[in-house]
Amino acid sequence: MTRLGILISGRGSNFEAIADSIAAGRLDAEIAVVIGNRPEAPGLEAARRRGLTAVSLPSKGLDRQIYDAQLLPELKRHAVDLVCLAGFMRLLSGLFIREFPNRILNIHPSLLPAFPGLDAQHQALEHGVKITGCTVHFVDEALDSGPIVIQAAVPVREDDTVESLSARILAEEHRIYTEAIRLVTTRAYAFEGRRVVFR
Ligand code: GAR
C-alpha cells in the first residue's frame, strides 16, 4: 500500500480530507507521517488526534538546502512513497525533488498557470476572472509549476469575497486531492512534454 508523507504549514484541511478518504475506503493508501514546518500548525494537532505520526520540523531561519536535508531522512525513516504538499508554504530544493522523482504532489488554489504564489484567490478576484479553481500537480523546482494531474473549475460570483471564494475552492481541493492521489497510485502514466497522460 502506498505510504504517504504529508507536509503542511497550517490548518491542514487538505490533509484531513485525505485522511477522511482513507478512513472511508475511498483511497487505498496509508499516512506514514505528517510533517509541519511551523510548530503551531493546527494540522499537526489534528494528525495527533487521529492517532497519526505527527512531526514538527521548524523551518524558521533555515536555508532551503539545510531544511530539506532534515526533511529527507524523516520521510525515509517512515518509508514514504509519495510526498503530498498540503498547504506547505515552502519551495523544495532540487536535492529534495531528485530524491522523489515524480513522487511529489502539490495542491494550489487556482487554475495554474494562472495566479501562482501567495493569495491565489485574492489574485483571481483582483484580476476579475469569471472562473478560477484548483490544481494538483507534480512538483518541480519552480513555484507552483510542474506537470498537472487534475484541475477543477470554480465560477467566481459577483458578490464573492476572498473568504467566500476560498471556501468554494477549498471544497473542490478536498475532492480532487484524493482523486489525484488515486490516479497516480493506481494508473500507469507517461509524460509527454508537460502533459501527464494516463493510460
Ligand atoms: C489551500 O488552499 C492550498 O491550496 C493552499 O493553501 C491552503 C492550505 O489549506 N496552498 C497554496 O497556496 C500553495 N501555493 P489547508 O492547510 O487547510 O490544507
Side-chain angles (χ1 to χ4, degrees):
M1 200 186 302
T2 305
R3 291 175 62 79
L4 307 178
I6 302 190
L7 306 189
I8 63 168
S9 295
R11 179 177 55 183
S13 74
N14 275 289
F15 143 62
E16 294 221 67
I18 295 166
D20 286 346
S21 291
I22 293 171
R26 290 190 299 269
L27 185 61
D28 194 20
E30 60 188 308
I31 296 176
V33 63
V34 179
I35 302 175
N37 72 318
R38 295 186 186 137
E40 70 283 4
L44 282 176
E45 192 47 45
R48 289 189 196 103
R49 275 200 304 274
R50 287 172 181 264
L52 296 168
T53 306
V55 176
S56 171
L57 202 60
S59 62
K60 203 168 179 194
L62 296 183
D63 283 352
R64 199 175 302 166
Q65 302 269 355
I66 296 191
Y67 184 69
D68 289 2
Q70 297 179 8
L71 207 47
L72 273 172
E74 203 58 56
L75 293 166
K76 301 271 179 194
R77 176 160 45 247
H78 292 93
V80 165
D81 304 305
L82 181 68
V83 179
C84 299
L85 310 187
F88 185 69
M89 299 311 213
R90 267 184 85 85
L91 275 176
L92 294 168
S93 61
L95 173 103
F96 185 98
I97 291 162
R98 282 189 293 276
E99 286 288 325
F100 286 95
N102 303 325
R103 290 270 122 193
I104 311 170
L105 294 176
N106 180 42
I107 188 150
H108 183 75
S110 75
L111 292 176
L112 290 171
F115 314 128
L118 291 176
D119 301 323
Q121 305 93 333
H122 177 73
Q123 292 185 55
L125 268 186
E126 288 283 294
H127 196 91
V129 294
K130 305 298 184 191
I131 297 174
T132 183
C134 48
T135 303
V136 178
H137 63 93
F138 287 107
V139 170
D140 63 17
E141 283 181 57
L143 176 67
D144 298 323
S145 171
I148 291 168
V149 176
I150 188 169
Q151 294 186 300
V154 174
V156 179
R157 294 182 188 152
E158 295 269 308
D159 60 351
D160 258 331
T161 61
V162 171
E163 290 70 31
S164 64
L165 180 59
S166 299
R168 290 205 313 290
I169 295 173
L170 194 63
E172 289 299 293
E173 293 186 40
H174 293 167
R175 183 178 67 76
I176 68 168
Y177 215 159
T178 290
E179 195 58 42
I181 295 169
R182 191 186 304 123
L183 274 171
V184 305
T185 57
T186 63
R187 295 268 296 274
Y189 58 88
F191 293 95
E192 291 179 6
R194 279 193 51 93
R195 295 178 65 212
V196 185
V197 182
F198 289 92
R199 306 288 177 207

